[in-house]
Amino acid sequence: MPSEHWTHPEPGDGPAAVAAQPSPEQVIAGLRATSEGGAELTQLLTPEGERVSSPQFDRYVDDIDAEALKGLYRDMVLVRRADREANAMQRQGQLGIWVPLLGQEAAQIGSGRALQKRDMAFPSYREHGVAYARGVDLKEVLGIFRCTDHSGWDYKEHGFHPYTIVIGNQVLNAAGYAMGQKFEGKVGDDDSEATICYFGDGATSQGDVHEGFVWAAVYDAPLVFFCQNNQWAISEPTERQSRLPLYQRARGYGFPGIRVDGNDVLACLAVSRWALEECRHGNGPVLIEAFTYRMDAHTTTDDPTRYRLSDELEEWKLKDPIERVRAYLARGGGADQAFFDQVQADSDAFAAELREYCFNMPEPPPERIFSNVYAESTPMLDAQREEFLSYLDGFVGAGEH
Amino acid sequence: MADLQKLTIGKAINLGLRRAMESDPKVLIMGEDVGKLGGVFRITDGLQKDFGEQRVLDTPLAESGIIGTAVGLAVRGFRPVCEIQFEGFIFPGFDQIVSQVAKLHYRTQGKIKMPIVIRVPFGGGIGAVEHHSESPESLFAHVPGLKVVSVSNAVDAYWGIQQAIKADDPILFFEPKKLYHSGALKAEIDVDGTPDQLFESRVVREGTTATVVAYGPSVKVALDAAAAAEDEGKSLEVIDLRTLSPLDLEPVFESVRKTGRLIALSEAPSESSLTSEIAARVQQECFYSLEAPVLRVTGFDTPYPPAKLEEHYLPDLDRVLHTVDRSLAW
């Protein structure tokens, strides 16, 4: 188990225990230890693009040769490019809102690519990279933010639950799903199933997340809790959520917690594969804290310049998840300029396709308001729909819906 | 030969749950104390013993957890039946109910179904401490995506719980806790028979002077009032709503067209409630048939009082008769 950043006071420790409590500065130092390279951080690729060895986790990425790493790089570039395009489209009034993932590409691609087809992922609302990794067409994700749809994709086909906007709700939903996997006997060997659930540092303050930890623990659910600690819950910093590093909370619930460099795609892949394997073999749940940084606003309605210093962003830019892979690949890692140019061209084409689709996205017809409220509709709702549609038909030029 | 069994409401729900679990291995019961103890009201008595701990789950103590994990289990293909111990404890789970249970079907345009039943013992009259006697059903009836039913007798309890579990929509199943073990309400049930439609209200006593519409524990009050009114030469028609969302008001409209008067009866506070909705709809549909305004007999617009005062708070036979007189005096 990882060592503590500070000693927990225990009953009977006497007055000295009070003195052992951390000062606010110590709390912040502990929470942010990895800004300077915390000892507890699992990392396989440094910000400078140097491959570092991990006796525990190297074997989980043995298969990641140059081609596979180039694939992860491409994934991250495409997802970032799509994210920037969507952000721009929001600024142009084409999307109602956008939730940027800038800076979190490694956490999402690394964990998303660790999943097997049979696994299930429960996202929050920033997991566009995980969606992409699960084979969800980002055009369908875009519909949510252009406000034409609440969730377009087939959750079963992709193993990717609808986005959940109420903070922390999905953690309990994921715990229930994973309990179902356990009840159905899908746990116990390499071919078993597992579930992964995404949430942020702010969500860890929610009761549902705590309850999700309790449920998953007492039912031994094959569930990987994947907390992307991006340091900010809108304007509230992590020290407003916790006194100790978030991964250390797992101990209180009786399962392993680990902090991984969330800007290191290789480490995120390895740690997620390890955690999923633990779950498949019945040793779940596992908490992963992916220590990362939200480089843009919380959403396009947010203004981070009101609450954080630009120095902070500049510091994190040096730990960019894409640049370190690029550096590694370029420095004898198996990629030449032609590869990078091709990925750039692919990402531009990907973004253009999204833009084209967004601008021409069909608006849902008015009857959609009433559709699928229930599996079996009700007479009142049917009457309300008929009355409204007939009201609409009364307008000149009606009948186009 | 019909298999006739004489059951209380509590035993009828228990047998209904058993039948549902026998017929579908995906049905799970989950809640606090539902296993070994059989629930604080013993409604799930004996089920864990027969179906095992994986189908009758004694859960950790957190309502959001019960509902939230039921959502995930439903996504996985299970049909969870959640027990909330008392209605006053449902609110930690309210977020999951209104944000996820009610909306996932709509949000996914039908790709995800939420066949979840949430059983809620509700209502007063048991001399309990705070949070054990409330009637929050209107809060759920107001939420699109949820269906809400309340049973008043053993026959409906037996069939209703099975139909609710079979339904693909999420259903809040409000049970009149005061009447769970009432010997007087024991009914002979043909347990292999054919049930009524779950989402239909029903005339339970015919009359001509005025109509009283009620649900859950108030149906008994309405019937008692009707029996007393008969001695005074008044003939009350009593309707058991049974379904609170969707509301089936056609039998009420029909009755009001006949009697010209309606008294809506409920233990819940009156403001912005089911009785408000009934009053609004009846005046809309039966305006020319009404001889008097729709009147309501309800709990007061206060928190549920200390139980030493509940006999004043809860609508009783006398308040119903008094209100019938007010209606007739119009």
Side-chain angles (χ1 to χ4, degrees), chain A residues 81-149:
Chain A
R81 185 70 184 81
D83 175 74
R84 294 297 82 196
E85 192 69 18
N87 209 66
M89 286 195 287
Q90 193 283 331
R91 295 303 187 215
Q92 293 164 354
Q94 295 294 332
L95 296 177
I97 194 172
W98 181 246
V99 186
L101 68 66
L102 187 68
Q104 298 180 221
E105 297 86 352
Q108 296 194 16
I109 293 299
S111 60
R113 288 292 184 213
L115 295 164
Q116 301 291 324
K117 172 108 178 102
R118 58 187 179 273
D119 296 331
M120 180 61 98
F122 283 75
S124 175
Y125 46 70
R126 198 187 298 282
E127 275 67 67
H128 322 313
V130 185
Y132 168 87
R134 298 302 280 160
V136 173
D137 191 335
L138 290 188
K139 293 180 193 121
E140 290 181 314
V141 173
L142 224 50
I144 297 172
F145 299 99
R146 197 170 163 92
C147 303
T148 60
D149 206 346

Side-chain angles (χ1 to χ4, degrees), chain A residues 118 120 122 149-156 161-186 193 206-208 211 214-215 218-219 368-380, chain B residues 26 28 30 53-54 57-78 92 95-96 99-100 102 104-113 143-147 167-170 197 199 245-247 277 281:
Chain A
R118 58 187 179 273
M120 180 61 98
F122 283 75
D149 206 346
H150 290 323
S151 164
W153 57 90
D154 186 324
Y155 80 99
K156 221 177 236 179
H161 190 76
Y163 276 8
T164 300
I165 292 179
V166 179
I167 304 292
N169 272 183
Q170 78 280 9
V171 178
L172 275 169
N173 304 160
Y177 189 90
M179 284 163 63
Q181 291 173 315
K182 175 92 188 301
F183 293 168
E184 289 177 6
K186 307 282 188 187
E193 295 184 29
Q206 287 278 358
D208 274 12
E211 291 177 33
V214 171
W215 250 261
V218 302
Y219 291 104
R368 176 67 178 272
I369 294 172
F370 301 93
S371 71
N372 285 297
V373 178
Y374 297 96
E376 189 182 342
S377 191
T378 70
M380 266 304 282
Chain B
K26 287 293 187 184
L28 304 177
M30 49 199 296
E53 292 184 7
Q54 202 161 287
L57 283 74
D58 271 324
T59 66
L61 243 73
E63 285 72 16
S64 192
I66 294 168
I67 309 293
T69 52
V71 169
L73 283 158
V75 172
R76 181 73 192 179
F78 289 88
D95 173 20
Q96 284 283 350
S99 304
Q100 304 306 326
L104 266 165
H105 190 266
Y106 188 69
R107 194 186 303 154
T108 61
Q109 284 295 288
K111 292 189 196 91
I112 291 182
K113 299 222 177 335
V143 179
L146 300 178
K147 289 181 176 174
D168 279 336
D169 285 309
Q197 259 293 322
F199 295 111
S245 175
L247 265 177
E277 175 70 12
R281 299 256 294 273

